[in-house]
Amino acid sequence: MDEPVRTLLLWCPDWPVLAAEIVDGVPATGPVAVLHANRVIACSERARAEGVRRGLRRREAQGRCPGLTVVDHDPGRDARAFEPVVAAVEEVAVGVEVIRPGACALAARGPSRYLGGEEAAAERIVEHVALSCAVESQVGVAAGVFAAGLAAREGRIVPPGGTPEFLAGQPVEALGRPALADLLRRLGVRTLGDFAALPAGDVLARFGFDGALAHRLAAGRDDRPLAARRPPVDLTVTADLDEPIDRIDVAAFAARTLAEQLHERLAGHGLACTRLGIEAVTAHGQELHRVWRHDGLLTAAAIADRVRWQLDGWLSGARRGGDRPARPTAGIVRLRLLPDGVLAQAGLQPGLWGETGAERERAHRALSRVQGLLGPEAVVTAVLGGGRSPADQTRLVPWGDERLPTRPGGRRVGSGPAVPPWPGRLPPPSPAVVLPTPLAASVLDATGAPVVVSARLAVSAPPARLSIGTMPPQLAGPTPAPGSAPSATPSSATPSSAAALRGGTVGWVEIVGWAGPWPVDERWWAPAEARRRARFQVRLADGTALLLAVESGRWLVEAIYD
């Protein structure tokens, strides 16, 4: 069995009493008792001299000590008062875990190596806490948190390998479980050594899971490893400028210097930045703030570029019109960079012919440059998602924002293809161009009569001719005779109906192929939002493929296929 990590534990005796003195001003030198559920959980040295002990009821404690000052237990007060003690320990050794208010632990290996041994480290920590917080404390060192806590009560440093022997001589009351300790004593088990010698299976069967955990502690095995709380690292870099900056070239130099400092600080901790906060303070006290997001890792050059672009945007704001903010009323006197999002830097293998992702990085820089000049909404990218129509399946998001679809997409079953969770969704392929506003159209059959789709999705006749942006034949005049050529043939009207769609008008064109209808009946339970339509895919004589829809008896062109 591997021995637990050597642990250094600092313990402050009677901490609830000291916390009451620190926060509420109750003198700890007098007879004081802290009560919870009408029982004493901590008392001062003066109260113990009068016979007060933990576990006594309030009436019995006051009977033994008539001048006893009673304080209600407040865990929040104990934790607030203990925080300065933890901070003082962290000034000497990092990696502190708070066990409870009044006790904190850390791995003994680090401070013992650079302070000259475990005994020297313990003395240094106790002295520093006394000087910084005026609090008396004791330190114990042993293998594991539980054993170190018992050693701290004696102010003892257990030698390496001696933890099992140290625990074997402790009474069963050291487990902190009064009911279990009373039962063990009635069974003839009086020390932790006797308890640890019992078979683990029998202990679990007789005393349950809590008894099994206590059995592990008695044998010198902690229930979990030490989870050290490391103090947060301040990664922010700040530059106080001697002269206010109001020129772009001077701002660029300051941005490059500050970016290199931030990148070096991050690299020193093995981190990389993915989201950068830029703050600026002007000579008039105006505060400016902007956050830049990046889906990769920001290098020193990338950080410098974003700071320079942002300063350019702030300092030249008056030269752009519209609703964009004007430039600051004074020069910038302070710059601050805050790595708002960081992650571990795993490194990147350079490519054989130049850096990997160089082209992508150039694209990032160009698009981010445009955002710095025109705003974050000036550059958008499409995100594919779910939906029944092409317009519902695409969402435009600003460059650098999280690419999350508005509606969930398909789901994958086993190793097969994705299954769309949208009944009535169009089959592939998807259209290449989705029109922002559908265009009105007219569809005729071979006899020149309008094509109608009934409520039961029955098509009156196969579609034969299509016109976009023109009046229906009932209002436009005579309809082309059956079998005659359209008024504008594909060869004489336009090179392509898809190109003519940009003008919003296409003359009569022959339909040579079609598929559908695909019905959609959405939000029928909400009459104000209900929408019912049928869609068709048609191919024209000039090679153009369109997505049509019939809604309330009207034909519409929604999208164009390649």
Side-chain angles (χ1 to χ4, degrees):
M1 179 187 67
D2 295 335
E3 190 176 53
V5 177
R6 294 280 293 177
T7 303
L8 186 150
L9 188 141
L10 180 135
W11 172 64
C12 299
D14 307 327
W15 181 252
V17 177
L18 294 178
E21 181 182 38
I22 295 172
V23 177
D24 298 333
V26 179
T29 55
V32 181
V34 179
L35 271 67
H36 177 64
N38 205 37
R39 288 186 180 274
V40 176
I41 62 171
C43 57
S44 64
E45 185 178 355
R46 176 81 175 275
R48 281 194 295 272
E50 298 290 337
V52 179
R53 295 291 185 271
R54 293 183 58 185
L56 292 180
R57 292 186 177 273
R58 179 189 186 116
R59 184 182 299 275
E60 185 177 356
Q62 290 178 331
R64 295 186 180 186
C65 181
L68 184 67
T69 301
V70 176
V71 179
D72 290 334
H73 178 50
D74 185 355
R77 176 188 62 208
D78 297 349
R80 290 193 303 272
F82 192 58
E83 178 58 29
V85 178
V86 179
V89 176
E90 285 183 335
E91 293 176 359
V92 179
V94 299
V96 179
E97 177 184 1
V98 179
I99 307 301
R100 61 180 182 278
C104 59
L106 66 153
R109 182 173 181 268
S112 65
R113 294 183 64 181
Y114 63 79
L115 291 177
E118 294 177 346
E119 184 176 356
E123 294 177 357
R124 175 71 177 277
I125 291 175
V126 170
E127 292 175 358
H128 188 70
V129 169
L131 292 175
S132 302
C133 307
V135 172
E136 294 184 2
S137 60
Q138 297 179 192
V139 167
V141 180
V145 176
F146 174 69
L150 297 180
R153 295 180 178 274
E154 303 177 9
R156 178 176 175 181
I157 297 179
V158 180
T163 299
E165 182 181 355
F166 166 72
L167 290 175
Q170 298 291 327
V172 292
E173 286 78 10
L175 293 170
R177 295 165 170 80
L180 177 62
D182 180 68
L183 178 58
L184 290 176
R185 282 199 171 273
R186 286 189 281 114
L187 293 174
V189 179
R190 293 178 172 79
T191 64
L192 296 184
D194 297 337
F195 187 37
L198 299 177
D202 295 344
V203 172
L204 176 62
R206 177 62 178 83
F207 302 106
F209 289 104
D210 186 67
L213 174 60
H215 183 262
R216 286 180 54 87
L217 298 178
R221 301 191 301 271
D222 281 350
D223 58 330
R224 60 178 178 82
L226 184 67
R229 184 181 76 91
R230 299 188 178 276
V233 180
D234 186 10
L235 301 174
T236 304
V237 294
T238 306
D240 294 319
L241 308 173
D242 297 333
E243 296 292 337
I245 292 179
D246 54 5
R247 292 169 45 191
I248 303 302
D249 55 346
V250 180
F253 178 79
R256 183 170 63 253
T257 303
L258 205 59
E260 292 175 353
Q261 294 178 5
L262 176 61
H263 189 265
E264 291 177 0
R265 180 168 296 185
L266 290 171
H269 293 87
L271 302 174
C273 181
T274 60
R275 195 167 59 247
L276 175 68
I278 305 173
E279 293 183 355
V281 180
T282 67
H284 290 172
Q286 182 183 4
E287 296 184 358
L288 307 172
H289 179 77
R290 184 74 67 214
V291 176
W292 286 77
R293 181 190 294 269
H294 189 64
D295 60 356
L297 303 181
L298 288 170
T299 62
I303 295 174
D305 286 341
R306 281 151 180 78
V307 178
R308 176 169 52 85
W309 298 338
Q310 188 58 57
L311 293 177
D312 186 8
W314 282 332
L315 295 177
S316 59
R319 291 195 287 270
R320 293 187 290 272
D323 298 331
R324 293 178 176 83
R327 63 184 299 172
T329 57
I332 296 175
V333 296
R334 175 177 296 174
L335 279 175
R336 181 182 295 112
L337 302 184
L338 304 89
D340 190 33
V342 295
L343 50 81
Q345 169 65 282
L348 183 65
Q349 178 66 35
L352 182 61
W353 309 109
E355 293 295 329
T356 302
E359 297 82 1
R360 184 180 181 185
E361 179 61 25
R362 285 197 297 269
H364 282 312
R365 294 176 63 177
L367 297 178
S368 299
R369 169 68 167 168
V370 175
Q371 282 186 317
L373 295 174
L374 303 180
E377 301 293 338
V379 181
V380 294
T381 57
V383 178
L384 298 180
R388 296 181 175 87
S389 65
D392 297 335
Q393 297 169 14
T394 305
R395 171 175 174 257
L396 298 179
V397 299
W399 178 258
D401 285 3
E402 293 182 348
R403 299 174 56 83
L404 298 177
T406 305
R407 301 173 178 84
R411 56 185 177 88
R412 189 170 299 276
V413 179
S415 59
V419 178
W422 300 92
R425 183 175 182 174
L426 283 175
S430 299
V433 178
V434 179
L435 300 178
T437 302
L439 299 177
S442 298
V443 179
L444 306 180
D445 59 14
T447 64
V451 177
V452 179
V453 180
S454 68
R456 295 182 178 273
L457 299 177
V459 183
S460 61
R465 298 181 181 88
L466 168 72
S467 176
I468 301 174
T470 60
M471 291 184 293
Q474 295 85 344
L475 302 176
T479 302
S484 62
S487 59
T489 61
S491 59
S492 61
T494 57
S496 170
S497 298
L501 281 175
R502 298 181 181 273
T505 302
V506 175
W508 291 102
V509 183
E510 184 180 359
I511 298 176
V512 297
W514 64 281
W518 290 281
V520 173
D521 191 1
E522 295 181 301
R523 303 191 65 82
W524 47 266
W525 59 89
E529 304 175 4
R531 188 180 184 189
R532 190 179 186 208
R533 64 191 189 278
R535 293 153 303 164
F536 292 78
Q537 292 172 335
V538 300
R539 182 173 178 269
L540 307 182
D542 60 3
T544 302
L546 303 177
L547 174 64
L548 305 182
V550 184
E551 186 173 356
S552 300
R554 298 172 58 246
W555 285 87
L556 301 171
V557 180
E558 291 188 338
I560 308 171
Y561 292 90
D562 279 343

